[in-house]
Protein backbone atom coordinates (compact mmCIF):
# COMPACT_ATOMS: atom_id res chain seq x y z
CA UNK A 1 0.00 0.00 0.00
CA UNK A 2 1.32 3.45 -0.98
CA UNK A 3 2.43 5.58 1.97
CA UNK A 4 1.61 9.21 1.22
CA UNK A 5 4.11 11.94 2.05
CA UNK A 6 1.20 14.00 3.37
CA UNK A 7 -2.53 13.44 3.55
CA UNK A 8 -5.33 15.81 4.48
CA UNK A 9 -8.81 14.40 5.08
CA UNK A 10 -11.75 16.81 5.60
CA UNK A 11 -9.46 19.33 7.33
CA UNK A 12 -11.10 22.46 8.71
CA UNK A 13 -9.60 25.18 10.87
CA UNK A 14 -11.47 27.94 12.69
CA UNK A 15 -9.80 30.81 14.53
CA UNK A 16 -11.17 33.38 16.93
CA UNK A 17 -11.35 36.68 15.07
CA UNK A 18 -8.79 39.13 16.50
CA UNK A 19 -10.31 42.18 18.19
CA UNK A 20 -13.84 40.88 17.49
CA UNK A 21 -15.14 39.02 20.56
CA UNK A 22 -17.44 36.15 19.73
CA UNK A 23 -16.55 36.18 16.03
CA UNK A 24 -14.60 33.46 14.23
CA UNK A 25 -12.66 33.11 10.98
CA UNK A 26 -12.77 29.83 9.08
CA UNK A 27 -9.37 29.49 7.42
CA UNK A 28 -9.88 25.96 6.05
CA UNK A 29 -13.10 24.25 4.98
CA UNK A 30 -13.07 20.45 4.65
CA UNK A 31 -9.88 20.25 2.59
CA UNK A 32 -8.94 16.77 1.34
CA UNK A 33 -6.00 15.68 -0.84
CA UNK A 34 -2.84 13.60 -0.67
CA UNK A 35 0.76 14.15 -1.77
CA UNK A 36 2.47 11.10 -3.19
CA UNK A 37 6.08 10.16 -2.36
CA UNK A 38 8.57 11.35 -4.97
CA UNK A 39 6.13 13.97 -6.24
CA UNK A 40 6.67 17.69 -6.75
CA UNK A 41 3.39 19.15 -5.52
CA UNK A 42 2.38 22.80 -5.62
CA UNK A 43 -0.06 24.52 -3.28
CA UNK A 44 -1.35 27.64 -4.99
CA UNK A 45 -3.86 30.31 -4.08
CA UNK A 46 -4.39 34.04 -3.59
CA UNK A 47 -3.51 35.81 -0.36
CA UNK A 48 -5.65 34.71 2.62
CA UNK A 49 -6.66 31.51 0.81
CA UNK A 50 -5.60 29.26 3.70
CA UNK A 51 -2.21 28.12 2.39
CA UNK A 52 -0.26 29.21 5.46
CA UNK A 53 -2.77 27.63 7.82
CA UNK A 54 -2.62 24.33 5.96
CA UNK A 55 1.18 24.47 6.09
CA UNK A 56 1.13 25.16 9.84
CA UNK A 57 -1.14 22.16 10.35
CA UNK A 58 1.23 19.91 8.37
CA UNK A 59 4.24 21.11 10.38
CA UNK A 60 2.46 20.71 13.71
CA UNK A 61 2.41 24.45 14.44
CA UNK A 62 -1.36 24.41 14.93
CA UNK A 63 -4.06 21.77 15.19
CA UNK A 64 -7.01 21.37 12.83
CA UNK A 65 -10.44 22.07 14.26
CA UNK A 66 -11.65 18.90 12.56
CA UNK A 67 -10.40 16.31 10.09
CA UNK A 68 -7.29 14.13 9.96
CA UNK A 69 -3.74 14.80 8.78
CA UNK A 70 -0.81 12.42 8.32
CA UNK A 71 2.82 13.29 7.71
CA UNK A 72 5.07 10.71 6.01
CA UNK A 73 2.49 8.05 6.68
CA UNK A 74 2.21 8.71 10.42
CA UNK A 75 -0.18 10.82 12.55
CA UNK A 76 0.86 14.39 13.32
CA UNK A 77 1.23 13.40 16.98
CA UNK A 78 4.36 11.41 16.05
CA UNK A 79 6.73 14.36 16.03
CA UNK A 80 9.71 12.14 15.16
CA UNK A 81 8.66 12.47 11.50
CA UNK A 82 9.60 16.16 11.62
CA UNK A 83 13.25 15.06 11.52
CA UNK A 84 12.56 13.92 7.94
CA UNK A 85 11.06 17.27 6.89
CA UNK A 86 13.05 20.22 5.56
CA UNK A 87 11.31 23.60 5.74
CA UNK A 88 12.14 26.88 4.03
CA UNK A 89 10.16 29.74 5.60
CA UNK A 90 8.92 32.59 3.43
CA UNK A 91 10.33 35.27 5.79
CA UNK A 92 13.81 34.50 7.03
CA UNK A 93 14.92 35.77 10.45
CA UNK A 94 18.48 34.48 10.64
CA UNK A 95 20.73 36.25 13.18
CA UNK A 96 22.72 38.77 11.15
CA UNK A 97 25.88 38.37 13.22
CA UNK A 98 26.24 34.69 12.28
CA UNK A 99 28.01 33.53 9.15
CA UNK A 100 26.40 31.13 6.69
CA UNK A 101 28.70 28.35 7.89
CA UNK A 102 27.98 28.97 11.57
CA UNK A 103 24.25 29.08 10.95
CA UNK A 104 24.28 25.75 9.10
CA UNK A 105 26.48 24.22 11.82
CA UNK A 106 23.85 25.26 14.36
CA UNK A 107 21.01 23.67 12.38
CA UNK A 108 23.12 20.59 11.76
CA UNK A 109 23.67 20.18 15.51
CA UNK A 110 19.91 20.50 16.08
CA UNK A 111 19.40 17.67 13.58
CA UNK A 112 22.06 15.51 15.28
CA UNK A 113 24.15 15.28 12.10
CA UNK A 114 27.60 13.90 13.01
CA UNK A 115 30.40 16.44 12.64
CA UNK A 116 32.26 14.17 10.21
CA UNK A 117 29.26 14.35 7.86
CA UNK A 118 28.13 17.89 8.61
CA UNK A 119 31.29 19.80 7.66
CA UNK A 120 31.63 18.44 4.08
CA UNK A 121 27.86 18.61 3.58
CA UNK A 122 27.80 22.31 4.49
CA UNK A 123 30.70 23.01 2.14
CA UNK A 124 28.95 21.15 -0.69
CA UNK A 125 25.64 22.96 -0.15
CA UNK A 126 27.24 26.41 -0.04
CA UNK A 127 29.15 25.60 -3.22
CA UNK A 128 25.99 24.29 -4.91
CA UNK A 129 24.02 27.41 -3.96
CA UNK A 130 26.69 29.89 -4.99
CA UNK A 131 27.61 31.01 -1.46
CA UNK A 132 30.99 29.36 -0.99
CA UNK A 133 32.90 32.64 -1.39
CA UNK A 134 30.71 34.28 1.28
CA UNK A 135 30.68 31.37 3.73
CA UNK A 136 32.39 33.27 6.55
CA UNK A 137 30.72 36.65 6.09
CA UNK A 138 28.02 37.89 8.48
CA UNK A 139 24.53 37.20 7.14
CA UNK A 140 23.74 40.88 7.76
CA UNK A 141 25.76 41.67 4.62
CA UNK A 142 23.75 39.29 2.46
CA UNK A 143 21.25 40.44 -0.14
CA UNK A 144 17.68 39.13 -0.08
CA UNK A 145 18.52 36.62 -2.79
CA UNK A 146 21.55 35.36 -0.88
CA UNK A 147 19.48 34.90 2.26
CA UNK A 148 16.97 32.88 0.20
CA UNK A 149 19.78 30.66 -1.07
CA UNK A 150 21.01 30.17 2.49
CA UNK A 151 17.49 29.28 3.62
CA UNK A 152 17.33 26.66 0.89
CA UNK A 153 20.65 25.24 2.07
CA UNK A 154 19.26 25.03 5.62
CA UNK A 155 16.14 23.20 4.39
CA UNK A 156 18.29 20.68 2.47
CA UNK A 157 20.84 20.16 5.23
CA UNK A 158 19.35 17.00 6.78
CA UNK A 159 18.58 15.49 3.35
CA UNK A 160 14.84 15.42 4.09
CA UNK A 161 12.31 13.01 2.60
CA UNK A 162 9.79 15.87 2.44
CA UNK A 163 11.02 19.32 1.42
CA UNK A 164 8.58 22.17 2.05
CA UNK A 165 9.31 25.45 0.26
CA UNK A 166 7.21 28.47 1.21
CA UNK A 167 7.41 31.21 -1.47
CA UNK A 168 10.94 30.03 -2.37
CA UNK A 169 11.38 32.25 -5.44
CA UNK A 170 10.92 35.55 -3.56
CA UNK A 171 14.00 37.74 -3.94
CA UNK A 172 15.80 35.38 -6.33
CA UNK A 173 17.22 36.66 -9.59
CA UNK A 174 16.98 34.67 -12.83
CA UNK A 175 20.02 32.50 -12.04
CA UNK A 176 18.64 31.80 -8.58
CA UNK A 177 15.26 30.78 -9.96
CA UNK A 178 16.86 28.45 -12.49
CA UNK A 179 18.96 26.94 -9.71
CA UNK A 180 15.81 26.44 -7.63
CA UNK A 181 14.19 24.56 -10.50
CA UNK A 182 17.27 22.35 -10.83
CA UNK A 183 17.29 21.51 -7.14
CA UNK A 184 13.58 20.68 -7.15
CA UNK A 185 14.11 18.40 -10.15
CA UNK A 186 17.07 16.74 -8.40
CA UNK A 187 14.96 16.07 -5.30
CA UNK A 188 12.32 14.41 -7.47
CA UNK A 189 15.00 12.36 -9.23
CA UNK A 190 16.24 11.15 -5.86
CA UNK A 191 12.74 9.97 -4.95
CA UNK A 192 12.17 12.79 -2.46
CA UNK A 193 8.89 14.71 -2.14
CA UNK A 194 8.73 18.48 -2.62
CA UNK A 195 5.83 20.73 -1.59
CA UNK A 196 6.01 24.24 -3.06
CA UNK A 197 3.68 26.82 -1.52
CA UNK A 198 3.06 30.07 -3.38
CA UNK A 199 0.51 32.64 -4.49
CA UNK A 200 2.25 32.96 -7.89
CA UNK A 201 4.24 29.93 -8.97
CA UNK A 202 5.73 31.35 -12.16
CA UNK A 203 8.60 29.22 -13.43
CA UNK A 204 8.32 26.76 -10.51
CA UNK A 205 4.96 25.58 -11.86
CA UNK A 206 6.78 24.07 -14.82
CA UNK A 207 8.46 21.43 -12.64
CA UNK A 208 5.35 20.45 -10.64
CA UNK A 209 3.67 17.09 -11.16
CA UNK A 210 0.36 18.19 -9.62
CA UNK A 211 -1.06 21.18 -7.87
CA UNK A 212 -3.88 22.11 -5.55
CA UNK A 213 -5.53 25.53 -5.58
CA UNK A 214 -7.08 26.93 -2.41
CA UNK A 215 -9.63 29.73 -2.56
CA UNK A 216 -11.26 31.08 0.61
CA UNK A 217 -10.19 28.00 2.54
CA UNK A 218 -11.69 25.50 0.09
CA UNK A 219 -10.00 23.18 -2.37
CA UNK A 220 -10.90 24.74 -5.72
CA UNK A 221 -8.71 22.60 -8.01
CA UNK A 222 -6.65 19.42 -7.74
CA UNK A 223 -4.84 17.91 -10.69
CA UNK A 224 -2.00 18.28 -13.17
CA UNK A 225 -0.72 21.56 -14.53
CA UNK A 226 -1.40 20.31 -18.07
CA UNK A 227 -5.08 19.74 -17.28
CA UNK A 228 -5.35 23.17 -15.68
CA UNK A 229 -3.80 24.91 -18.70
CA UNK A 230 -5.85 23.02 -21.30
CA UNK A 231 -8.36 25.32 -22.98
CA UNK A 232 -11.78 23.63 -22.76
CA UNK A 233 -12.87 25.21 -26.05
CA UNK A 234 -9.84 24.71 -28.29
CA UNK A 235 -7.90 21.98 -26.52
CA UNK A 236 -4.78 24.15 -26.73
CA UNK A 237 -2.71 25.54 -23.88
CA UNK A 238 -3.70 28.80 -22.19
CA UNK A 239 -1.66 31.05 -19.85
CA UNK A 240 -1.63 30.16 -16.15
CA UNK A 241 -3.24 33.48 -15.21
CA UNK A 242 -6.09 32.85 -17.67
CA UNK A 243 -6.66 29.37 -16.25
CA UNK A 244 -6.65 30.56 -12.65
CA UNK A 245 -8.95 33.56 -13.18
CA UNK A 246 -12.28 31.67 -13.06
CA UNK A 247 -11.04 29.51 -10.17
CA UNK A 248 -9.98 32.49 -8.06
CA UNK A 249 -13.34 34.20 -8.72
CA UNK A 250 -15.40 31.12 -7.86
Amino acid sequence: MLTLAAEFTDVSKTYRAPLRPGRTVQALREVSFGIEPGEVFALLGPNRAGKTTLLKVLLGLCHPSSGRVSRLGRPLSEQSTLARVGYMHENQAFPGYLSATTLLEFYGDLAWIPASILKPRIAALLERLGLADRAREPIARFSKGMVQRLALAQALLAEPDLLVLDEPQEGLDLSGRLLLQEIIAQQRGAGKTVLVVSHALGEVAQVCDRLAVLVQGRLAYLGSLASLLRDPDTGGERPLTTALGPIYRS
Side-chain angles (χ1 to χ4, degrees):
M1 183 177 179
L2 182 67
T3 300
L4 295 177
E7 185 174 16
F8 304 90
T9 305
D10 296 327
V11 175
S12 296
K13 178 63 179 179
T14 302
Y15 292 102
R16 293 179 181 176
L19 305 179
R20 301 178 69 182
R23 301 288 186 90
T24 60
V25 175
Q26 191 160 9
L28 296 173
R29 304 168 184 265
E30 300 180 339
V31 174
S32 297
F33 66 88
I35 302 175
E36 298 177 3
E39 180 176 40
V40 178
F41 191 95
L43 181 61
L44 184 62
N47 293 329
R48 302 175 65 87
K51 304 185 303 298
T52 298
T53 299
L54 195 69
L55 196 57
K56 286 181 177 179
V57 169
L58 177 64
L59 297 174
L61 299 176
C62 70
H63 299 287
S65 301
S66 62
R68 301 191 316 276
V69 183
S70 68
R71 181 177 55 231
L72 296 169
R74 308 302 301 170
L76 289 182
S77 57
E78 296 192 20
Q79 296 189 8
S80 60
T81 55
L82 286 172
R84 297 165 55 198
V85 178
Y87 175 49
M88 178 181 174
H89 196 280
E90 66 171 319
N91 296 312
Q92 316 307 330
F94 298 143
Y97 59 87
L98 293 180
S99 69
T101 298
T102 305
L103 180 84
L104 294 179
E105 289 173 343
F106 170 74
Y107 278 105
D109 289 341
L110 288 179
W112 293 90
I113 301 174
S116 59
I117 296 175
L118 181 60
K119 186 174 181 179
R121 187 177 293 177
I122 289 175
L125 279 171
L126 292 178
E127 180 69 32
R128 178 76 179 91
L129 290 162
L131 296 174
D133 61 336
R134 312 291 288 272
R136 296 293 177 181
E137 281 191 34
I139 297 171
R141 298 181 186 173
F142 282 17
S143 66
K144 170 66 174 175
M146 292 170 63
V147 172
Q148 286 293 91
R149 289 173 183 245
L150 179 58
L152 183 55
Q154 176 269 314
L156 292 167
L157 188 60
E159 298 185 342
D161 294 316
L162 173 59
L163 178 64
V164 181
L165 306 175
D166 193 0
E167 303 289 358
Q169 71 274 35
E170 288 294 321
L172 292 177
D173 58 13
L174 178 58
S175 65
R177 292 183 179 218
L178 292 174
L179 177 60
L180 174 64
Q181 288 186 49
E182 291 176 8
I183 289 175
I184 290 174
Q186 288 171 354
Q187 290 296 110
R188 179 207 280 136
K192 305 297 183 70
T193 306
V194 182
L195 170 59
V196 183
V197 184
S198 184
H199 67 275
L201 285 176
E203 306 95 330
V204 178
Q206 306 305 316
V207 298
C208 293
D209 300 304
R210 288 191 305 142
L211 69 157
V213 180
L214 289 181
V215 178
Q216 296 182 350
R218 296 186 184 277
L219 183 63
Y221 177 81
L222 176 65
S224 69
L225 179 64
S227 296
L228 178 64
L229 298 182
R230 188 177 300 115
D231 190 311
D233 297 321
T234 67
E237 184 173 296
R238 54 186 174 170
L240 181 60
T241 51
T242 302
L244 288 174
I247 296 175
Y248 277 15
R249 292 192 295 269
S250 61

